[in-house]
Amino acid sequence: MAPGTRTCAGCGAVLAARMLLKATGKDVIVCEATGCMEVTSTQYPTTAWKVPWIHVLFENSASVATGVKAALEAQGNNHTQVIAYGGDGGMVDIGFGAVSGALERDDDIMIITYDNEAYANTGIQRSGATPFGASATTTPAGLESQGKKQWKKNIPMIAVAHGSKYVATASIGYPQDLQKKIKKAMQVKGARYLHIHAPCPIGWAFDSSMTIQVAKLAVQTGMWMLYEIDDGAFKRTMTPELKPVDEYIKLQGRFKHLKPETIKIIQERINASWKEMDNLEKCGVNLRTIL
Amino acid sequence: MEDLAKFAADGKLKAKFLEVESEFSAMSSMVGAVAAGSRVFTATSSQGLALMHEVLFATSGMRLPVVMIVANRALSAPINIWNDHSDTMAERDSGWIQLYTENVQETVDTLIQAYKIAEKILLPVMVCMDGFILTHVIEPVDIPKQKDVDEFLPKYQPDHAVLDTERPMTFGPFTYPEPYFDLKKDMEEAIQDSKDVISEINEEFANKFKRKYGDGFIEEYKNDKDTVIVALGSVCGTIKEVVDKRKDVGLVRIKCFRPFPTEELIKSLKGKKTIIVLEKAFAYGLGVGPVFAEIRNALYPFTEKSKFISVIAGLGGVDIRVIQINDVVDKSKQMKDGEVVWMKT
Ligand SMILES: Cc1ncc(C[n+]2csc(CCOP(=O)(O)OP(=O)(O)O)c2C)c(N)n1
């Protein structure tokens, strides 16, 4: 990516794109969904993309990628990586049908969500990936509301339920881990799914100098867990001694309304989830063949 | 599509056959594949076309030569599976070229021409054939020979823009008002300019394959009477039978609806006493059918001399019979200008 994209200061999503392309090299075609990245990186007649890039609509980047890949294969090109790329709104919610279709068909593409936990481009509306308790413009905190009522939709696990050979979560706070996973995914044939946590200073209301710190804290508190599911084998790629979730929450305006009892609910959920991940890892269940 | 799948499965069709989960994704993957430099085909109908709506505008706006057959069928609600033109008429301003065919032979021939048109002017083309009436019929069809088709339509080689790692380009960028406005105007100019291309390709096809459908835009059939019926699609076969039997009415069939054949229609309809527009769609809230409205608009400078009747027929697959068409032609003599007839037995 060329410098000079028009993202906000401290944008996590543009870092995700940069880290992604550093890992893939130039032999890629990126199919991008409508959202912050598309709007800020391609203002006609300029572009920040030094690789072939196509944007069509909000909810179809996965099926556009399917078409691109099919054309390359028909032309005898079996080396170029085709990436479907989009925000959580585009991939987890409105475009999930296309993502699910490509996963089910096992189309030979990499499907990557950069997750800033809201529809950031249009003003921080809640998405299926917005965490429980976060205030978003369509689930605002108020006298009778503690923000979003539902837990974050677990797309990586839904992806592996399709039988995908490689599924991983990553964070812009841990670039080496992220790039290692991208490189690994590139070695796999078929539909691969990666979910990159990418904090958004505007949407989450934290100072733009703290993006990386917030990203790291998400992992260190267990609000975002790093793992990969390689051919069905679940493995955490980072197992920190978890810090209290409060350390993550208190940095962000979107959580500032949370009462101690709500934070406690979140903490308990993290603890339970972390324990289940332990179990999952230890029991060695193969998540592809269990299906 | 099932037959194409079988051809591919048997290795007779050298193509990638994509089995996507929705019509929305079908059109989306077509956009991706054509942008990556391959020739593509898909087919849909009714709700499927409606689901593609958003992608249709992206396809034309990105100037990508996708070709599709639409088997025309009614739109829900109420749900109904039979033929009419409400699906494609709802997409008439999507920037796609729309060609309506009268029979299966014409559909085959038009499809071959459609690729040539699309690839030359860089706009998508939909070939509209009547659902059931043409899609579920047995009719002798001459399938042109592969060699002849290959000569007429050589391998697709995009030289304008293609997703290529050697020559990276950005497709579908975010665009501010000024260039957006210009690009949209360019698109309309391209659609208008396509008329020369359509005409040329119509002649070229006729020379090579010895079949021709009017001038590529309209087909006049015994249009030397005071009264004329204007219609699209397979119903023209029925209308021709009416025209053959009576001496007071002719037919003008619109084959190319986008670009709209304004000059051709003026030439063929100017000075007629009665112009009966028979169509299988309605512009709800406008009070007439969409084709009627467009014809009246095209003939505006000459309207004083003519009486225009809007006949709405065949919605949801209602049969259109010779006897009803005869009846309308008879009654049209007493009707007032602008009258709308909902024709049903
Ligand atoms: C069908 C449709 N609905 C709504 C929009 C408007 N829209 C553009 S981007 C966007 C939000 C994108 O959110 P997300 O996918 O999370 O990406 P982000 O903006 O956060 O990067 C919306 C709602 C659209 N382009 N298309």
Side-chain angles (χ1 to χ4, degrees):
Chain A
M1 285 203 86
T5 56
R6 301 174 199 201
T7 56
C8 310
C11 174
V14 73
L15 291 178
R18 224 168 72 95
M19 291 172 192
L20 165 68
L21 289 185
K22 275 204 159 162
T24 59
K26 286 189 172 160
D27 195 12
V28 286
I29 296 176
V30 177
C31 308
E32 171 111 47
T34 311
C36 284
M37 274 321 298
E38 161 265 330
V39 168
T40 54
S41 63
T42 68
Q43 303 202 347
Y44 180 84
T46 67
T47 182
W49 297 86
K50 292 184 182 168
V51 297
W53 180 96
I54 180 170
H55 156 259
V56 184
L57 294 168
F58 185 19
E59 64 281 34
N60 68 356
S61 66
S63 29
V64 171
T66 291
V68 170
K69 184 67 197 182
L72 296 184
E73 282 176 358
Q75 294 160 22
N77 172 342
N78 291 314
H79 50 85
T80 301
Q81 288 285 339
V82 179
I83 298 174
Y85 197 57
D88 45 299
M91 309 304 263
V92 169
D93 284 352
I94 194 169
F96 179 68
V99 168
S100 173
L103 288 170
E104 182 272 329
R105 292 184 301 270
D106 203 22
D107 291 337
D108 190 18
I109 58 175
M110 281 212 272
I111 303 172
I112 303 179
T113 301
Y114 64 88
D115 184 2
N116 53 19
E117 301 191 325
Y119 291 73
N121 185 47
T122 42
I124 332 293
Q125 292 83 16
R126 66 86 95 182
S127 83
T130 303
F132 173 82
S135 184
T137 52
T138 47
T139 51
L143 283 179
E144 298 187 10
S145 163
Q146 283 275 294
K148 194 186 170 201
K149 293 186 188 65
Q150 300 82 9
W151 297 98
K152 192 176 173 76
K153 186 165 166 183
N154 193 339
I155 296 291
M157 286 297 175
I158 298 174
V160 80
H162 286 76
S164 293
K165 288 185 212 79
Y166 188 79
V167 173
T169 62
S171 161
I172 58 148
Y174 295 94
Q176 282 90 352
D177 176 78
L178 187 157
Q179 291 180 332
K180 216 166 112 188
K181 286 168 177 165
I182 304 270
K183 284 189 173 138
K184 201 157 174 185
M186 285 171 68
Q187 303 306 315
V188 177
K189 209 172 150 53
R192 294 138 281 164
Y193 182 78
L194 282 107
H195 197 112
I196 305 175
H197 198 238
C200 165
I202 306 288
W204 303 7
F206 61 80
D207 189 86
S208 61
S209 63
M210 295 192 330
T211 305
I212 297 295
Q213 192 187 339
V214 168
K216 282 189 189 285
L217 265 172
V219 173
Q220 290 163 3
T221 59
M223 269 297 266
W224 185 244
M225 300 181 186
L226 299 184
Y227 58 82
E228 64 179 7
I229 305 166
D230 187 359
D231 203 10
F234 176 88
K235 188 172 165 292
R236 279 174 294 184
T237 54
M238 209 153 286
T239 46
E241 200 59 47
L242 292 188
K243 294 181 175 167
V245 74
D246 199 36
E247 288 188 27
Y248 175 67
I249 281 176
K250 72 178 181 211
L251 291 180
Q252 304 170 51
R254 63 175 173 161
F255 292 123
K256 73 168 187 283
H257 58 282
L258 288 188
K259 299 188 182 112
E261 54 269 32
T262 318
I263 296 175
K264 196 167 154 245
I265 294 172
I266 297 173
Q267 186 64 66
E268 281 166 3
R269 168 104 179 187
I270 290 173
N271 295 347
S273 168
W274 197 240
K275 211 172 116 200
E276 291 304 347
M277 292 218 167
D278 259 344
N279 290 339
L280 191 54
E281 215 167 50
K282 281 188 198 127
C283 75
V285 163
N286 187 293
L287 292 173
R288 281 189 77 216
T289 44
I290 198 174
L291 306 170
Chain B
M1 293 312 285
E2 292 84 344
D3 287 339
L4 286 177
K6 183 79 175 107
F7 289 153
D10 291 340
K12 288 183 193 154
L13 180 68
K14 300 249 171 313
K16 281 260 153 198
F17 188 89
L18 298 179
E19 322 125 59
V20 286
E21 76 289 350
S22 71
E23 292 84 352
F24 181 82
S25 279
M27 186 48 65
S28 301
S29 58
M30 295 294 94
V31 169
V34 82
S38 284
R39 190 176 271 156
V40 298
F41 173 76
T42 190
T44 192
S45 211
S46 163
Q47 304 310 123
L49 184 66
L51 190 65
M52 287 179 180
H53 177 76
E54 201 192 359
V55 202
L56 297 182
F57 285 72
T59 313
S60 57
M62 293 172 80
R63 305 290 303 272
L64 294 170
V66 172
V67 172
M68 160 166 74
I69 281 192
V70 179
N72 284 105
R73 284 172 32 203
L75 279 178
S76 287
I79 191 164
N80 164 299
I81 59 165
W82 291 277
N83 163 248
D84 74 24
H85 289 172
S86 30
D87 53 0
T88 50
M89 281 299 156
E91 307 300 346
R92 64 189 183 275
D93 297 333
S94 61
W96 282 58
I97 288 177
Q98 286 194 340
L99 306 172
Y100 289 78
T101 60
E102 183 180 332
N103 53 45
V104 182
Q105 183 70 62
E106 186 184 357
T107 311
V108 171
D109 295 347
T110 302
L111 188 62
I112 297 165
Q113 297 182 40
Y115 281 98
K116 204 152 173 151
I117 297 167
E119 289 163 15
K120 195 134 187 190
I121 58 175
L122 298 180
L123 278 171
V125 180
M126 70 179 76
V127 177
C128 310
M129 71 189 295
D130 283 313
F132 291 104
I133 300 170
L134 298 184
T135 55
H136 292 58
V137 76
I138 294 182
E139 190 181 293
V141 174
D142 171 48
I143 306 279
K145 290 196 180 52
Q146 185 72 51
K147 186 179 138 289
D148 292 338
V149 176
D150 288 344
E151 279 166 17
F152 179 77
L153 181 71
K155 201 168 155 17
Y156 177 49
Q157 269 166 335
D159 53 8
H160 46 290
V162 68
L163 291 168
D164 178 359
T165 50
E166 302 288 317
R167 218 168 37 124
M169 284 185 206
T170 288
F171 279 59
F174 180 79
T175 310
Y176 280 105
E178 302 291 327
Y180 181 92
F181 194 98
D182 294 341
L183 288 164
K184 286 293 151 181
K185 184 162 169 280
D186 284 354
M187 188 168 101
E188 171 57 9
E189 276 166 18
I191 300 176
Q192 293 305 335
D193 290 349
S194 75
K195 288 191 72 176
D196 290 343
V197 174
I198 293 170
S199 170
E200 228 168 75
I201 290 174
N202 184 54
E203 293 301 325
E204 194 185 332
F205 187 90
N207 287 337
K208 186 153 187 75
F209 296 96
K210 312 292 171 226
R211 280 192 294 271
K212 192 174 178 183
Y213 305 93
D215 57 4
F217 303 102
I218 62 167
E219 184 197 349
E220 295 183 85
Y221 187 74
K222 302 187 182 171
N223 180 32
D224 53 357
K225 323 281 164 27
D226 283 344
T227 300
V228 58
I229 301 176
V230 185
L232 289 72
S234 64
V235 74
C236 293
T238 316
I239 299 172
K240 281 177 183 169
E241 194 162 325
V242 173
V243 168
D244 284 343
K245 294 230 168 88
R246 51 194 299 163
K247 300 277 169 279
D248 58 349
V249 66
L251 166 72
V252 170
R253 176 171 75 91
I254 300 181
K255 174 187 168 77
C256 175
F257 188 66
R258 286 289 183 271
F260 194 72
T262 305
E263 293 80 31
E264 291 76 6
L265 285 170
I266 290 175
K267 235 198 237 155
S268 65
L269 300 178
K270 186 173 78 177
K272 295 286 176 194
K273 250 198 196 125
T274 307
I275 298 168
I276 302 170
V277 182
L278 188 151
E279 59 187 304
K280 297 179 177 180
F282 198 71
Y284 295 95
L286 183 63
V288 291
V291 182
F292 176 91
E294 298 204 0
I295 288 181
R296 183 106 109 160
N297 172 53
L299 287 182
Y300 178 72
F302 315 98
T303 43
E304 266 170 38
K305 299 204 180 71
S306 308
K307 176 162 83 180
F308 289 78
I309 313 285
S310 173
V311 179
I312 307 305
L315 298 188
V318 162
D319 272 345
I320 302 173
R321 304 202 175 107
V322 167
I323 179 172
Q324 295 164 321
I325 299 171
N326 269 321
D327 192 47
V328 163
V329 176
D330 289 342
K331 287 186 178 147
S332 71
K333 308 208 159 45
Q334 276 77 50
M335 285 183 204
K336 289 196 293 292
D337 179 51
E339 244 181 83
V340 181
V341 181
W342 291 71
M343 193 175 97
K344 190 171 150 262
T345 354

